[in-house]
Structure formats: C-alpha cells, structure tokens
Amino acid sequence: MALFEQFSLTGKVVLVTGASSGIGAHMARVAAQAGARVVIGARRLDRLEQVSSDIERLGGEVLGVAMDVTDRASVEAAVDAAEARFGVVDVVLNNAGIGNGQRALEISEEDWRSMLSTNLDGVWRVAQCAAQRLVNAGKPGSIINIASILGLRAGSGYSHYSAAKAGVVQLTQSLALDLARNNIRVNAIAPGYFKTEMNDAYFDSEKGQTYIRQTVPMRRLGNLTELEGPFLLLASEAGAFVTGSTIVVDGGHLVSSL
Ligand code: NDP
C-alpha cells in the first residue's frame, strides 16, 4: 500500500455523532473527502441538512439521521438507517457532547444527569451499538471517542464535564481491551481548546483570549484542521495497530508549567 493510501477511508462507512456543528461537522466533511460514505447524526435536522449539502457539493455521499445519544431507541434507529443506506458502519466518531461550565456547588441532580447521560452514557451507548453490529457481521472496525484535556486534568467549574470525559478515557481503554479480539479498535482524541458553538462567546471575550495566551504554551486556540491528522490516523489502516490510546491535541496545554 502506498504511503498516503493508508490514510484513505475509501470503501468505509463512517458515522459521526454530533455532526450538526463544530468538530463533528468538520470531521464529517473530512471523512467524505477521504473517500468514506458518511452518516451524520444529531438532533438539529436543519443543521444536518446544511452539512449534508456541503458534503454533496464536495462530491461526497452522505446520509443525515436524527439521533439523540441519550436515547437507546434513537441510536438504534439511526444505525439501522445507516445500515439500510450504506451497510454496516465501519468507523464511529463518537463526538456528540455538551459543555457548559458550572461551579460544583451549583450543579443540580438534573444538570449532573444530563451531562453524564450525554457525554459518557451516550459514548458508551453508540460504541456498544456499533460494536454489536460489527461483531455480528464479522467485520473489523474503529471507534474514536472525543474526550477532552478536562478528562485528564481538572479545571475549575467543570466537575461534571471532567468526570464524564475522564470516564470516556477509561471507557476507551476498557472497550479496546474487550473488543481487540474482534478486530475493533477503540481510541480517543483529547482536544484542548478549539473555538466552536460550545465556547465561542467565551473565546471571543477578552477574558477568554487572555486565558488562552496565559495558559496554553502555544498561546493560541487550535484550528479544527489540526484534528484531521489524528482522526484519519485512528480511522484508517494507518492506525491498524493502535488501540486503547488517547491522543492529546492541545498546543501543550496539559503540560503547561506549574
Ligand atoms: P458543538 O456545540 O459545536 O457541537 C456539539 C455537537 O453535539 C452538536 O452537533 C450537537 O448537535 C451534538 N449533541 C449534543 N447533545 C446531543 C445529543 N443528546 N444527541 C446527539 N447529538 C448531540 O461543540 P464541539 O464541536 O466543540 O463539541 C464536540 C465534542 O468535542 C464534544 O464532545 C465536546 O465535549 C468535545 N470537545 C470540544 C472542545 C472544544 O474546545 N471545542 C474541547 C474538548 C472536547 P445537536 O444539538 O444538533 O443535537
């Protein structure tokens, strides 16, 4: 196989959750450009339609599906629709997530449940559903979970988010172990800060910009293009022996000087 062909996703069916904006929408386009047939899932169907149009304009094949990762029936129905259109999903980008900051003393039972239900249970639910179908079909696969540097180190005001993302890191390792014999690889990407709808108001503010300058060794936010390499590595044959890993993409934020 030629060197760069290893990174191709030609012939693969890629499911991206939370593909209606931000990292998910970007990676769905990247997967299509790498040759995959792409299934994009989220709750906001109007936004999915925009992403679908973009991908079709690029010459890609895409299916938009309604999907709420907190709801098993919704996840199963979305994966059914993906299979009916393109066949068994080979690669999952488990990206759907919410991310509001809240001080620990202000988090209600409902806030906690909502965070864990989306950011941890949702990742497990989609991974398990996709893995069951791969195993039944006797096919190899790759599951990529979007964690966060807040799953590896604490930041104030994010106890529920950090706990969920730390769970994603540990879930990734555990699933990698359980699924290795089925040739299903499970890895995570832990992004540092990238401006998306989740955080744009903060990073557009002077406070947000100062925070980045003072805490990120590279003194800037990440560009979504800088997540493409890790994603393609983990999704493609180039990463055939990589499983249970968490790739940190953060401009050095995690190793910032104490
Ligand atoms: P966005 O808010 O732009 O995207 C979040 C996506 O998740 C949306 O498409 C949203 O779609 C979807 N989503 C939320 N809840 C659900 C649900 N219950 N079911 C299905 N989809 C859902 O933010 P980002 O792109 O930044 O976030 C993507 C992932 O990256 C998240 O997991 C986040 O934690 C992680 N991350 C982001 C970082 C950053 O700096 N941006 C840093 C580290 C991690 P819809 O509302 O249409 O359902």
Side-chain angles (χ1 to χ4, degrees), residues 10-23:
T10 300
K12 305 271 187 219
V13 179
V14 175
L15 167 66
V16 181
T17 72
S20 57
S21 60
I23 294 171

Side-chain angles (χ1 to χ4, degrees), residues 18-24 42-44 67-70 95-98 118-119 146-148 161 165 191-194 196-199:
S20 57
S21 60
I23 294 171
R43 297 164 304 175
R44 288 171 297 171
M67 185 188 220
D68 180 345
V69 299
T70 66
N95 163 81
I98 53 176
T118 307
N119 286 12
I146 298 295
S148 165
Y161 183 86
K165 293 296 189 179
Y193 290 105
F194 291 74
T196 64
E197 289 173 27
M198 188 174 280
N199 52 31

Side-chain angles (χ1 to χ4, degrees), residues 13-248:
V13 179
V14 175
L15 167 66
V16 181
T17 72
S20 57
S21 60
I23 294 171
H26 186 81
M27 290 307 149
R29 287 187 209 103
V30 169
Q33 286 174 290
R37 285 167 294 163
V38 184
V39 182
I40 55 175
R43 297 164 304 175
R44 288 171 297 171
L45 298 182
D46 54 326
R47 299 290 296 269
L48 284 182
E49 273 172 31
Q50 288 172 26
V51 179
S52 292
S53 303
D54 285 355
I55 290 175
E56 280 163 356
R57 254 197 311 278
L58 294 167
E61 280 188 82
V62 60
L63 172 70
V65 288
M67 185 188 220
D68 180 345
V69 299
T70 66
D71 177 352
R72 183 97 204 178
S74 168
V75 169
E76 295 279 355
V79 178
D80 283 344
E83 279 185 9
R85 175 74 180 273
F86 293 137
V88 175
V89 171
D90 303 288
V91 176
V92 175
L93 182 62
N94 234 330
N95 163 81
I98 53 176
N100 56 308
Q102 255 176 315
R103 308 290 302 177
L105 295 182
E106 290 156 10
I107 294 173
S108 66
E109 285 279 344
E110 200 177 45
D111 298 329
W112 178 269
R113 222 23 290 139
S114 163
M115 182 62 75
L116 273 287
S117 171
T118 307
N119 286 12
L120 178 57
D121 304 1
V123 170
W124 164 75
R125 192 170 288 121
V126 173
Q128 190 197 47
C129 174
Q132 279 166 342
R133 310 238 181 170
L134 284 165
V135 170
N136 290 341
K139 291 188 78 182
S142 170
I143 297 170
I144 303 156
N145 300 325
I146 298 295
S148 165
I149 53 171
L150 282 165
L152 297 163
R153 226 179 106 177
S156 58
Y158 281 92
S159 56
H160 52 356
Y161 183 86
S162 290
K165 293 296 189 179
V168 169
V169 171
Q170 186 62 24
L171 175 68
T172 298
Q173 296 182 26
S174 304
L175 289 178
L177 203 51
D178 277 6
L179 296 171
R181 290 194 182 180
N182 299 103
N183 229 339
I184 299 170
R185 299 183 293 107
V186 188
N187 293 286
I189 296 173
Y193 290 105
F194 291 74
K195 197 165 88 161
T196 64
E197 289 173 27
M198 188 174 280
N199 52 31
D200 53 1
Y202 177 63
F203 288 128
D204 282 337
S205 71
E206 189 48 44
K207 193 174 168 205
Q209 286 172 24
T210 304
Y211 170 75
I212 290 298
R213 275 196 303 275
Q214 289 180 347
T215 57
V216 182
M218 291 182 76
R219 294 170 60 80
R220 65 172 175 84
L221 291 164
N223 296 312
L224 293 181
T225 52
E226 290 164 330
L227 291 168
E228 295 171 5
F231 167 62
L232 289 175
L233 169 71
L234 297 176
S236 69
E237 287 308 302
F241 203 48
V242 183
T243 197
S245 296
T246 295
I247 300 182
V248 175

